Amino acid sequence: MIVSGVILLALVAVGGYGLLSGTDSEMAPVHRDPAPSSTASPRPETPSRPQVPRILPTSNPETFARRVAAALFTWDTGAGLMPLDYTSAILDVGDPSGTEQAGLAADIATYLPSREAWVQLRQYATTQYLTIDNIAVPDAWSEAVAQAQPGQLPPGAIAYTIDGVRHRDGIWNDVPQVLTAPVAFTVFLACPPDGDPCYLLRLSQLGSPLR
């Protein structure tokens, strides 16, 4: 288990998530097939389910950390998806051994609105994205590696601390609103030395990065 020791101290998976004062609306148009005859009733076609953008595989650790960060913060409450859909997309690039999946799922939950908050945000057409100001391996990471027990960290493990700005847009009383807030967090990942794609281990608590 690599959730113990110094890494565990950096990975606090509890906390809340700030919400916009108002939230979003969703339109789900229904497409209909042409009537086969003038006497037949039109039959509604089941709308295809929207797809969450995948995190593309890469063996470059910094590129992977940037893609994970974008996936954590980029969402649209009017796209016909729910928070669990975005969570699943991130878990798809999690630890392939499954060791860290439960902890990672708990980490992700602190970055996304709850289902109830999502429904409220949907009334205001709320969307969100992240701009990254700085990304770097924190100084404390070398100490963490030095203190780790043999086998505690997988080959190619590394951490990136990201500082950026969260942008959240919505419509309040028919007036577009924009809310921005600085964010900081650490992405813990591993990129196997054999060139296989990087995978996600854990996330720090939002606002409590490793420095």
Side-chain angles (χ1 to χ4, degrees), residues 13-209:
V14 294
Y17 197 55
L19 300 176
L20 192 65
S21 302
T23 341
D24 148 303
S25 67
E26 174 187 27
M27 294 296 293
V30 177
H31 303 285
R32 299 183 179 276
D33 293 324
S37 69
S38 58
T39 58
S41 300
R43 183 180 60 186
E45 180 182 288
T46 302
S48 59
R49 182 168 179 75
Q51 297 296 311
V52 178
R54 294 177 55 243
I55 298 176
L56 297 178
T58 179
S59 58
N60 183 291
E62 181 176 326
T63 299
F64 182 73
R66 287 178 177 273
R67 291 176 180 176
V68 168
L72 276 171
F73 285 89
T74 303
W75 44 257
D76 181 353
T77 57
L81 298 166
M82 296 300 291
L84 281 178
D85 296 309
Y86 292 92
T87 298
S88 296
I90 299 171
L91 288 176
D92 283 345
V93 296
D95 179 9
S97 72
T99 302
E100 298 290 355
Q101 290 295 78
L104 178 58
D107 295 344
I108 297 169
T110 67
Y111 284 74
L112 292 169
S114 67
R115 183 183 180 90
E116 294 73 18
W118 189 271
V119 172
Q120 294 297 315
L121 289 168
R122 183 177 285 172
Q123 300 175 41
Y124 303 95
T126 310
T127 62
Q128 181 178 277
Y129 67 94
L130 175 73
T131 56
I132 295 175
D133 295 327
N134 186 65
I135 178 171
V137 178
D139 293 338
W141 178 246
S142 59
E143 182 181 350
V145 173
Q147 293 181 4
Q149 297 298 315
Q152 186 178 3
L153 298 175
I158 193 169
Y160 280 90
T161 290
I162 296 173
D163 293 277
V165 177
R166 183 190 69 187
H167 304 260
R168 190 173 288 189
D169 301 342
I171 306 295
W172 178 254
N173 291 333
D174 298 325
V175 178
Q177 302 288 332
V178 178
L179 180 69
T180 61
V183 294
F185 57 99
T186 301
V187 177
F188 298 87
L189 57 105
C191 297
D194 59 8
D196 281 349
C198 302
Y199 56 89
L200 183 59
L201 295 171
R202 297 291 298 271
L203 302 166
S204 74
Q205 183 180 18
L206 186 61
S208 299

